[in-house]
Amino acid sequence: MKAGTVPNWSSALDSVVVYAQGALCRRLARGSVPLDGRVRVTGLPRSMDPGSLRVRVLDATDARVTEARVEVEAEPLGSPAADELRQEVERLLDAVQAAQARRNRQQGLIDEVAALRPVPPPRQAEDPHRRTPVDAWLDLAEFVDDRLTALHSRLRASEEELKHVEHALDVATDRLSRASTDAPAARVETTLCAAVTLVGGAGTDVGVEVEYGVPGAVWVPAYRLTHHQGGSDGRLSLRAAIAQRTGEDWTGVRVSLATADLRRRTDVPRLRSLRIGRGQPAPAPSGWREPPPGLAGLFGGYDAAGPRPGVGRSAVTLPAAGRDPAAGPVPAAVSAEAAPPSGPASPPPPPPPMTGHGAPFSVLPPPGGAAAGPVPASFGGSAPGRPSPHARRKDGAPRTGGGPAAPRPVAPAAPGRAAPPPVPGPPAAPVPSSAPVAGPPRPSGAELDYAALVLHGPDSGQERRGRLFPDSAPDPVTAEHRRRAETVAALPLPENAVRPRESAGSFDHRYDAAARADVPSDGTWHTITLGDVAVGLRTEYLCVPSVEQAVYTTLVLSNATDQALPAGPLEVAADGDFLLTTSLPTLAPGGVCHVGLGPDEAVQVARRTSVHESTSGLRNNVTVLDHRVHVELANRLPVPVTVEVRERVPVTSEADVRIEEKADWKAPAGGTESGQHASGTRLWRVELPARATAALDGGYVIRIPAGKALTGGNRRS
C-alpha cells in the first residue's frame, strides 16, 4: 500500500502530566476507520520517546488497536516565510554588513585625504633656487581640512547607523533564541506520526487517544497566601513554575503535576528459584534459533568485487613500471592497504560451497508451535570462533564462523570480448576467534524485541553482516531535538524553589489544575495557578523582651488535605498588600508548620527589671537575690490577638542553691527535654483585646549560701 493511500488523522493536544523531569502528553484524534484499518495520527513532536507510544480507542465500539508504531514524515513548508523571526535576523545581518561596508568606505576616504602632502617638482642640478608658493600650501591645507570635516560627519552618521542596526540585530537574535521551538527551523518540516492499525468498526467514526512521553519539561511548586492581619482566615493558592522545550506549544491543555520520576523502573524483579539436586541446563529462550547454514559465504561475491568507490579503504591505481609480468594483468583499482609490498600476487582461493536449506534466513517457530517472528542470527549458537559443519576450506578443515568469505574466481571472457580484470581478494587479515561461550545463549530483552531489530548489510563488521541486531544508532535529527529539549534541566531555579524529587521524600502525589493553561515551548519559566488548598490558619505573636523588645508575627499553617505539599517559595499578602516572600517547608497531610513574618509594629512590648539583694539566716550567711520583671503589652490592631511572652529563669545543679519563682508563667507544654526550648524557659500567653494594653509581673528569688557564688558573679539584669 502506498503512503498516500493511508488516511491521516489530525490530532490535538488535550492534556499533559508534568513529572519531576519529563512529561506525558495525550492527544485526541477522530476519523472514519478505513476498510484495511490503517491510519496515521499526525502532530507528534520530534523529541518524543518512541518506546512510550500508547494508543487506545475512546468510543465503546467494536474497533480495537492491534498495532501502533512511530513513523517519520517530511513535507515542504507551504510558505517560505513561515519563520518571520529568522527572516528578520537574516535581513538585519545583511543590513549590518552593508553598514559596515559604508563605514569602512568612509574610513578609507578619510585615510586617503589625510595622507595628502605637497610634493615639490624634481629639481635639476643647473636649475636655480625657487621659492615655495605659500598660497599653494595654504590652499592644500584648507582643502584637506574642509574635506576631512565633511568625511568625519559622514563617518559619524555611518557609525550611528551601524550602532542602531547592530542593536536591532541583537534584539532580534535574542527574540529568536527565546522563541518557541514549535516552529520548524528548516524549509522542510519533519514530524512524527503514529501508524495505527485498527480491527473492527470499518466505516464508523471513532476517536483514539495517543499517549507518549517527551523529555524537556520540569516544574517546581510555588504558593501564595492571602489573609487578614491578625485574623484566623486565609487562602493558600498552589501554583507551579513550568519550563518546557519539548518542541510543541501547550495551548489550552489540562495540566497536571506529579512528583514522581518518569524514568523510574516499574517492572517487577524476577526471582529465580533455588533447587537442591542434580544440576540441569537452563532452557534456551523461546525466541532464539541457531544461525542458518551458509551464512559465512553469503557475501562471498560481494567481497570478491572489492570495495565500492568512495566507501571503505581508498582506491589507488598501481603503476605498471617495476612490476613482475608473471603476476598477471593489473587490476583497475585495488586498495592501497591490500597491495603487497613486492612479489607476485597469489590467485584468490575458491569460494566455500553454499550448503544448507537455501536461503540464509528463515522464520522458525518457537517451541510449542507459535510463530516468533524473524530470528536474530547473532544471538548465540554459532558464536564467533565456533566452527560450522556446513562451511569447509579447500583442505577439508572447517571454517570458523564469522571469518571473511573467500572471493569467487573470475570467469574467462567470451571469444571476441575483452577479458575483465581480475578482482583482488579481501585484504583484511583473519579475525582472531574468541573462546566459545559455555552454556546456552542468554539474549537480552533488546535482542528479542523483533520490531526494533535491524538487518545489517555487507559493509558492517564481520560479526554483524547479515545478522539482526538492535538499532543502537539514533536518528540524528531526533537526537538533536532531544538534546535541545533536555537543556531545561539545567535552568536556574527561582528564588527559594526546591525540585519536587528533593522535597517529596518517599511519597508521590499528583496535582491537577482547575483550568486549562498555556505553556509555550521556549525553555523559560511560566507560572500557572493550580487551585486553592484547604489549610488551617492561625496567627500568633511571639516576643522575647529580655533579648529584643519587639513582637514577631507567626502564621501557623496546618495541611487539611490528603495530599502533601512539597517545599517551595511562599508569597504572603495581608489585607491585599504584599508583605514578603519566604520558604514553605514540606507539609505532610495533617502536618503543621510555622511561617515567620517578621516584627509587627502594631503590637508593642516593654520590659523593666529590678534586683534587690539582701542576706538571711542565723548568721546572715545566705545571700538573697530578689529579681522582679515587669512587662507591658499594647495592641494597636482592630482585632484581638494572642501574644506569647517568653522569659527565662536560672537553673542550678547545686543542692544548696535554691531558686523560688514568683509569677504565674508556665513551663512549655512539650518540656525542655525535647530540645525545642532552652532549659529554664517560661511562657506567658496573653489575650489582648483590640486596642488594649496589659501588664505582666513576675520574678524569682535566688538563695545562695556562704561560700557559693553564681558563675560570672551575681548578675543584675
Side-chain angles (χ1 to χ4, degrees), residues 11-16 23-27 42-48 180-183 212-216 244-251 253 481 484 519-522:
S11 62
L13 189 62
D14 180 69
S15 64
V16 176
L24 202 62
C25 304
R26 290 181 176 87
R27 283 182 168 270
T42 60
L44 277 64
R46 288 303 305 265
S47 61
M48 67 165 290
S180 172
T181 58
D182 195 3
Y212 54 90
V214 290
Q244 64 103 354
R245 203 176 180 89
T246 60
E248 58 178 345
D249 292 338
W250 299 345
T251 304
V253 299
H481 280 76
R484 183 172 56 180
V519 182
S521 176
D522 54 1

Side-chain angles (χ1 to χ4, degrees), residues 247-309:
E248 58 178 345
D249 292 338
W250 299 345
T251 304
V253 299
R254 297 197 305 267
V255 180
S256 301
L257 306 175
T259 61
D261 187 3
L262 184 60
R263 300 181 180 180
R264 183 179 59 183
R265 295 184 56 185
T266 57
D267 54 339
V268 179
R270 180 180 299 179
L271 300 179
R272 298 185 179 274
S273 61
L274 300 178
R275 299 181 180 180
I276 300 176
R278 182 175 299 177
Q280 298 178 359
S286 60
W288 179 87
R289 287 294 181 273
E290 287 281 351
L295 180 61
L298 178 64
F299 301 97
Y302 183 87
D303 293 336
R308 291 186 299 170

Side-chain angles (χ1 to χ4, degrees), residues 35 44 72 99 114 123 136 165 167 169 193 220 285 295 301 344-345 348 352 386 413 481 611 634 671 712:
L35 295 178
L44 277 64
V72 181
R123 180 174 175 270
V165 175
H167 175 71
L169 177 62
C193 66
V220 290
L295 180 61
R386 185 177 299 176
H481 280 76
V611 179

